[in-house]
Amino acid sequence: MKFALVNNIKSEATKGAIGICQCCGSPLIARCGTIKVNHWAHKGTPPCDTWWEPETEWHRSWKNNYPVEWQEVSLIDKNTSEKHIADIRTVHSLVIEFQHSHIDPMERSIRENFYQNMVWVVDGTRLKRDYIRFQKGTKYFRNTEKEGIFLIDYPEEVFSPNWLNSSVSVVFDFKGIETIADTSDKRNNLYCLFPVRLGRQAIIAEIPRKAFI
């Protein structure tokens, strides 16, 4: 986790610090090394949020685009008392989850059902073949009357099958933390796969990175 409560203040991990988990109230210790990004860890126990995953630099850089108060917000299902920590929850109650590692489609569906009003941002640089597939798949893009909106007959030729049946929008980031000097490079933009279909056609939006943020 990026944040813990230190003297009731939402704080980042610093060497030697002790904090409190905002989700379960357990003690947290700061992990500050040279290999992984600085983070908080539960002291002697597994993470209370079973959905927690070690964060990459990509994951952390995305979080940093948003106000601290939007980051790592603890949410609870009032019917089941199940708790999870959303990567981002905006003032409009939209949850943004950043996903770097592989996720099973069933697990993805469970998280979507929990958060409801959410969108995924997926690291498209994790597997080299993902961007190669996307590049080849752009030949299936069909222009619409709206600039930046495309229809695709064969979405399975463009995106990983793990995301094709998501019930919420999925935004693919093929740039990651790389710096690309060529402003015309398609990786500078984000690509949103909407959950709705027009017959067999998927709907894609090309979104400027800054506009999405």
Side-chain angles (χ1 to χ4, degrees):
M1 283 179 274
K2 181 182 177 183
F3 293 104
L5 297 178
V6 179
N7 297 323
N8 289 322
I9 298 174
K10 200 172 183 179
S11 306
E12 295 189 47
T14 56
K15 192 171 183 178
I18 300 293
I20 299 297
C21 178
Q22 58 182 329
C23 186
C24 69
S26 299
L28 298 177
I29 56 176
R31 300 290 192 192
C32 303
T34 58
I35 299 177
K36 296 181 179 180
V37 294
N38 291 355
H39 64 282
W40 293 97
H42 283 73
K43 191 175 182 179
T45 59
C48 61
D49 188 347
T50 56
W51 294 351
W52 182 86
E53 298 171 346
E55 288 188 345
T56 61
E57 186 179 350
W58 172 85
H59 199 139
R60 185 63 61 86
S61 67
W62 262 107
K63 280 186 178 180
N64 289 337
N65 288 313
Y66 299 94
V68 169
E69 58 269 25
W70 291 12
Q71 298 181 39
E72 295 189 359
V73 177
S74 181
L75 301 176
I76 184 170
D77 185 318
K78 294 181 180 179
N79 295 321
T80 65
S81 297
E82 182 179 0
K83 284 184 179 181
H84 293 289
I85 300 173
D87 284 335
I88 298 294
R89 188 172 187 260
T90 73
V91 290
H92 302 292
S93 300
L94 173 68
V95 168
I96 307 176
E97 283 288 288
F98 307 112
Q99 191 65 30
H100 167 79
S101 60
H102 168 79
I103 185 170
D104 181 82
M106 184 171 290
E107 175 71 13
R108 186 210 69 228
S109 179
I110 290 172
R111 297 189 191 188
E112 291 169 359
N113 288 335
F114 179 85
Y115 290 126
Q116 297 290 316
N117 183 32
M118 72 165 293
V119 60
W120 292 99
V121 176
V122 176
D123 185 358
T125 69
R126 186 178 71 89
L127 300 175
K128 290 183 178 180
R129 66 174 178 268
D130 283 352
Y131 184 60
I132 294 173
R133 173 172 49 204
F134 175 79
Q135 282 183 302
K136 293 179 179 178
T138 55
K139 64 184 178 183
Y140 298 113
F141 281 31
R142 295 186 180 182
N143 292 321
T144 66
E145 294 180 355
K146 294 185 178 181
E147 184 178 358
I149 304 295
F150 306 92
L151 296 178
I152 303 179
D153 288 326
Y154 306 101
E156 66 277 5
E157 299 293 331
V158 183
F159 299 110
S160 167
N162 289 338
W163 297 101
L164 294 182
N165 295 313
S166 174
S167 62
V168 301
S169 295
V170 182
V171 176
F172 294 88
D173 174 13
F174 293 110
K175 179 182 177 183
I177 59 174
E178 182 181 355
T179 299
I180 300 176
D182 183 1
T183 56
S184 66
D185 193 303
K186 285 187 170 294
R187 290 173 293 178
N188 286 312
N189 289 330
L190 304 170
Y191 297 88
C192 179
L193 173 64
F194 293 103
V196 296
R197 296 289 186 271
L198 293 178
R200 61 175 295 173
Q201 294 180 315
I203 305 173
I204 302 294
E206 183 177 13
I207 307 173
R209 193 172 297 262
K210 288 184 179 180
F212 175 82
I213 293 170

